[in-house]
């Protein structure tokens, strides 16, 4: 089929879709005959046949032998959204996620939470994909075993042993993602109306996910060495929370690191108040040197460790994990079977195991840390020239939690940024108390393009709050 023929077929399909969307054709109505519509469109009958066949394959129309083509019973609901004015979405904890995930290739994403594709170990992933061609048929076609692939769980056991966490493969549950790991824990431990403590600021999707579980969320101010322990103790006494959800290393969004003193005090408070801690360790491999881990200090008694591989390996090959007490893992296995019927995709788990086993992964991490260090220095200098200053300079990772100049509101700047082709992450999406309106989280790995700073400068000018007039 020539390009010209393809174009004519597409034109016929577009004409039919337009009629369907505008309700000019109703469910069950017969389409124009092939010959008549060919005359109308100025194309050959064979072009209309090709277009009708493709629309039938999409389910928009259906053929009745000897009678012609008819509109299917179900018509696209797109007309409903097109009939109403598009409402401006509130900037809430899901706003940045949706903007980042749906952004086209023309958008720059200094506010997103992942590394650029070209920074990932793509060659190692491709080798693992080729190796998967020799896997057994069951890996390619069957459901996953309930705890997830043993090869990957054994790798995680060895990695945790290096941190001083002794556990067996039966204490590990692979999940479809790190997000699903938190969801399963919430289903297991929480009931509507329970209270959960999070850091303020914290990763915005913690808030979004916890709200799905209809719990009360209490924020505790976060400092450069961990949560404010006085405020933490007061929150425990007043609210009697069920869970505390946090990052220990390279905290999101601040980039801060939990100090040894705060880690020990935090565990003492948790024990005194029967508090369970969920430690999200997703940024562990980005640390230049290991920092204290609550799971290691606690021995998984009241700490649940979760993580995934989306930040350093691939966000496309989704797989997370939970490390916890054996009896809790048993209950979580049942929940995962009930909600997903088995563990994560065997294909995903084997791809990750194969990539991690590749000797190049360690070198990839070393290169990645050096690259992030250089990007962090460059981004800090370029942002400083715009009057944007980091709250702290992190030891590693890709996040910079920054204070905006006076007269700048982060939410207004984020909206202005969209007009400049920038997806930004305004501070209050991370803050339970909504006290971070003058902060912005930046991803230094997504800021190597000079257009980021040019667009940011223009957005800041557009979003500038005018000074109050003198009386």
């Amino acid at each position: 089929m020539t390009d010209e023929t393809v174009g004519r077929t597409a034109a016929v399909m577009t004409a039919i879709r337009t009629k369907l969307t505008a309700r000019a054709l109703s469910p069950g109505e017969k389409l124009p005959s092939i010959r008549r519509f060919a005359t109308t469109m100025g194309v050959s009958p064979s072009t209309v046949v090709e277009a009708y066949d493709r629309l039938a394959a999409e389910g928009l129309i259906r053929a009745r032998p000897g009678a012609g083509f008819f509109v299917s019973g179900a018509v696209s609901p797109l007309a409903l959204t097109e009939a109403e004015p598009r409402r401006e979405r509130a900037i809430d904890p899901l706003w940045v996620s949706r903007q980042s995930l749906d952004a086209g290739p023309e958008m720059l994403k200094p506010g997103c939470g992942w590394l650029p594709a070209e920074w990932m170990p793509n060659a190692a992933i491709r080798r693992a994909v080729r190796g998967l061609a020799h896997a057994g048929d069951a890996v390619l076609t069957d459901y996953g075993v309930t705890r997830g692939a043993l090869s990957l769980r054994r790798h995680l056991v060895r990695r945790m042993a290096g941190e001083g966490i002794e556990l067996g493969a039966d204490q590990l549950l692979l999940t479809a993602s790190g997000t699903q790991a938190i969801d399963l824990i919430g289903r297991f431990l929480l009931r509507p109306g329970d209270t959960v403590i999070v850091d303020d600021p914290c990763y915005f999707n913690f808030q979004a996910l916890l709200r799905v579980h209809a719990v009360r969320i209490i924020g505790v101010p976060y400092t450069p060495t961990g949560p404010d322990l006085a405020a933490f103790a007061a929150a425990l006494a007043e609210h009697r929370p069920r869970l505390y959800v946090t990052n220990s290393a390279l905290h999101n969004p601040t980039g801060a690191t939990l100090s040894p003193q705060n880690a020990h005090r935090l565990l003492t408070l948790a024990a005194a108040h029967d508090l369970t801690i969920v430690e999200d360790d997703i940024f562990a491999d980005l640390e230049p040197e290991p920092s204290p881990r609550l799971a290691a200090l606690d021995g998984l008694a009241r700490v649940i460790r979760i993580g995934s591989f989306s930040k350093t390996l691939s966000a496309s090959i989704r797989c997370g994990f939970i490390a916890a007490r054996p009896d809790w893992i048993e209950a979580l296995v049942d929940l995962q079977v009930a909600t997903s019927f088995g563990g994560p995709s065997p294909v995903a788990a084997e791809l990750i195991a194969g990539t991690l086993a590749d000797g190049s992964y360690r070198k990839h991490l070393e290169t990645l840390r050096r690259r992030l260090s250089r990007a962090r220095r460059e981004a800090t200098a370029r942002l400083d020239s715009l009057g944007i200053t980091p709250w702290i300079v992190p030891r590693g990772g890709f996040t910079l939690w920054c204070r905006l100049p006076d007269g700048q509101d982060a939410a207004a700047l984020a909206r202005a940024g969209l007009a400049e082709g920038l997806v930004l992450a305004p501070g209050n999406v991370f803050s339970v108390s909504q006290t971070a309106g003058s902060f912005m989280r930046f991803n230094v790995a997504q800021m190597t393009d000079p257009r980021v700073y040019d667009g940011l400068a223009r957005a800041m000018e557009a979003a500038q709050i005018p000074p109050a007039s003198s009386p």
Side-chain angles (χ1 to χ4, degrees):
M1 186 178 292
T2 66
D3 291 343
E4 186 178 358
T5 302
V6 170
R8 287 197 290 262
T9 302
V12 175
M13 294 174 69
T14 298
I16 295 297
R17 286 198 187 98
T18 301
K19 289 178 178 291
L20 293 172
T21 301
R23 295 300 194 269
L25 289 170
S26 303
E29 186 175 346
K30 185 177 181 179
L31 270 67
S33 71
I34 291 171
R35 192 168 299 280
R36 181 156 63 90
F37 201 51
T39 301
T40 300
M41 295 293 296
V43 298
S44 68
S46 62
T47 298
V48 176
V49 170
E50 176 71 18
Y52 279 11
D53 283 343
R54 291 190 180 194
L55 291 169
E58 293 178 9
L60 295 177
I61 65 177
R62 66 180 185 276
R64 291 181 187 171
F69 288 85
F70 295 79
V71 178
S72 295
V75 180
S76 170
L78 289 174
L80 291 176
T81 58
E82 292 173 357
E84 297 179 358
R86 185 177 295 275
R87 298 184 178 89
E88 190 173 61
R89 181 184 174 89
I91 296 183
D92 60 19
L94 291 171
W95 186 88
V96 177
S97 298
R98 293 183 60 150
Q99 296 293 344
S100 299
L101 292 168
D102 291 340
E106 75 285 354
M107 296 288 285
L108 300 170
K109 295 180 281 193
C112 82
W114 56 85
L115 296 174
E118 62 270 19
W119 288 41
M120 302 304 254
N122 297 310
I125 294 172
R126 286 189 170 92
R127 284 194 293 272
V129 170
R130 289 193 294 270
L132 200 63
H134 304 291
D137 290 348
V139 171
L140 303 177
T141 62
D142 282 3
Y143 291 104
V145 296
T146 58
R147 278 179 165 79
L150 183 58
S151 58
L152 183 52
R153 286 187 286 129
R154 283 175 172 165
H155 174 90
L156 290 168
V157 166
R158 292 192 295 271
R159 188 167 83 171
M160 291 189 191
E163 300 178 39
I165 303 175
E166 297 294 333
L167 76 168
D170 62 338
Q171 277 185 262
L172 277 164
L173 173 64
L174 301 185
T175 62
S177 65
T179 300
Q180 196 216 10
I182 298 178
D183 184 47
L184 287 173
I185 292 166
R187 292 171 185 266
F188 174 50
L189 292 177
L190 297 174
R191 297 293 178 269
D194 283 350
T195 299
V196 177
I197 288 183
V198 297
D199 303 317
D200 194 351
C202 72
Y203 172 44
F204 47 74
N205 213 42
F206 286 167
Q207 299 179 60
L209 189 54
L210 289 169
R211 286 171 183 163
V212 171
H213 290 281
V215 298
R216 185 184 183 200
I217 304 172
I218 301 295
V220 169
Y222 208 75
T223 78
T225 56
D228 181 318
L229 291 179
F232 196 89
L236 291 178
E238 180 179 355
H239 301 291
R240 301 180 62 82
R242 185 76 178 89
L243 285 182
Y244 169 47
V245 184
T246 187
N247 310 113
S248 289
L250 304 180
H251 177 264
N252 187 7
T254 66
T257 299
L258 183 67
S259 70
Q261 297 89 342
N262 276 15
H264 285 286
R265 178 61 179 150
L266 194 59
L267 289 172
T268 300
L269 288 169
H273 291 269
D274 193 26
L275 176 73
T276 298
I277 299 175
V278 178
E279 181 180 48
D280 182 358
D281 206 30
I282 196 170
F283 298 104
D285 284 345
L286 298 179
E287 272 198 302
E289 298 291 339
S291 61
R293 294 296 193 277
L294 297 171
L297 295 171
D298 171 74
L300 297 178
R302 62 176 58 257
V303 175
I304 301 174
R305 163 75 66 83
I306 68 169
S308 83
F309 309 93
S310 61
K311 305 304 180 186
T312 58
L313 198 156
S314 170
S316 177
I317 309 170
R318 303 303 300 275
C319 185
F321 65 86
I322 302 173
R325 291 167 26 183
D327 57 326
W328 285 4
I329 290 293
E330 279 295 322
L332 290 165
V333 166
D334 285 346
L335 274 173
Q336 179 157 252
V337 171
T339 56
S340 301
F341 198 74
S345 160
V347 169
E350 292 296 342
L351 279 176
I352 289 172
T355 306
L356 294 176
D358 189 317
S360 66
Y361 183 70
R362 177 182 57 82
K363 295 178 182 178
H364 158 68
L365 291 179
E366 292 172 355
T367 301
L368 189 55
R369 294 185 197 111
R370 289 195 299 269
R371 197 171 185 179
L372 284 170
S373 179
R374 183 167 58 252
R376 192 180 311 112
R377 290 193 301 270
E378 293 172 356
T380 299
R382 293 293 300 269
L383 289 170
D384 184 66
S385 69
L386 296 173
I388 300 172
T389 55
W391 182 66
I392 63 167
V393 178
R395 300 168 57 245
F398 54 74
T399 62
L400 272 183
W401 182 240
C402 294
R403 187 184 299 276
L404 300 175
D406 291 343
Q408 289 288 339
D409 174 75
L413 179 55
R415 290 201 188 281
L418 289 178
E420 297 294 339
L422 300 177
V423 175
L424 298 171
N428 271 343
V429 302
F430 303 90
S431 175
V432 175
S433 63
Q434 296 291 282
T435 54
S438 61
F439 282 83
M440 185 80 75
R441 187 195 72 180
F442 292 99
N443 178 344
V444 301
Q446 298 280 358
M447 301 178 71
T448 57
D449 189 325
R451 292 178 299 165
V452 169
Y453 302 96
D454 295 338
L456 188 56
R458 290 191 296 269
M460 290 174 68
E461 184 176 356
Q464 179 75 31
I465 299 173
S469 57
S470 301

